[in-house]
Amino acid sequence: MNHPTLNPLFAFKVENPAVANKSGLFFRDLYSGKTSIQEAVNTLTTMLSSTNEFDNEFYAHLIGEIASEVDYFKEYPDDALKICAEFIGAIIKEDLITGVQLETFKNCMIKIITDNEKLQNVFLLNVLVNLGEVKIEEFGSQFFNEVFSQCKILAENVSFRSWIEAIIAP
């Protein structure tokens, strides 16, 4: 796929008001349920595959907007957090973020779930369930060792831990 060049830290400026407007509508429709997770993923896939500059700018802006919200996830209502987590899991599963951006997202996930049971139970679990087993395996044992060291509640969840360990076992 044609991944537009994104700053590794997702810094972004909206220089095109039409992109900002479309992004606002995109997230409003996603969080309201007007747009399904799959429809939102399909939109990102279309934008990423496009050779149109506006589409690429829109894609980059959406990814940047998600990343910029990470520090505020703890303030999200549970239903919005669940939608966001499902969306992030789905876009990772579909390879709509890769490379350094994916590594940055993984590091952000570890950071925000540390000592926050809501983000462990609502956010991380929903991201992982939506990733699928192939991506969980790609995340690898180092990532999950860090998750389990930071998240006592997940480390002590025998069925969750067994499911992850069965997937990433050599």
Side-chain angles (χ1 to χ4, degrees), residues 1 23 36 41 62-63 68 73 97 104 106 124 128-129 140 151 165:
M1 291 194 167
S23 174
S36 71
V41 168
L62 289 176
I63 299 300
S68 71
F73 285 171
I97 54 174
T104 302
K106 287 166 59 177
L124 184 64
L128 295 175
V129 166
C151 306
E165 289 173 347

Side-chain angles (χ1 to χ4, degrees), residues 120 147-148 151-162:
Q120 292 171 23
V147 166
F148 293 139
C151 306
K152 182 180 177 184
I153 199 164
L154 295 179
E156 293 174 353
N157 182 327
V158 176
S159 61
F160 174 75
R161 190 171 183 130
S162 296

Side-chain angles (χ1 to χ4, degrees), residues 70-76 81 109 111-114 116-126 154:
V70 165
D71 289 332
Y72 304 101
F73 285 171
K74 63 184 168 282
E75 298 167 18
Y76 278 33
L81 188 60
M109 283 190 279
K111 176 185 157 198
I112 66 171
I113 62 172
T114 303
N116 190 314
E117 287 187 24
K118 174 182 175 178
L119 292 176
Q120 292 171 23
N121 289 323
V122 179
F123 180 75
L124 184 64
L125 284 175
N126 280 291
L154 295 179

Side-chain angles (χ1 to χ4, degrees), residues 33-47:
K34 184 177 178 182
T35 299
S36 71
I37 299 293
Q38 189 55 57
E39 289 168 330
V41 168
N42 292 346
T43 297
L44 246 61
T45 301
T46 300
M47 298 298 114

Side-chain angles (χ1 to χ4, degrees), residues 37 41 79-92 122-123 126-131:
I37 299 293
V41 168
D79 58 339
L81 188 60
K82 185 175 185 279
I83 290 168
C84 181
E86 289 173 4
F87 182 59
I88 290 171
I91 64 176
I92 292 171
V122 179
F123 180 75
N126 280 291
V127 168
L128 295 175
V129 166
N130 284 281
L131 278 178

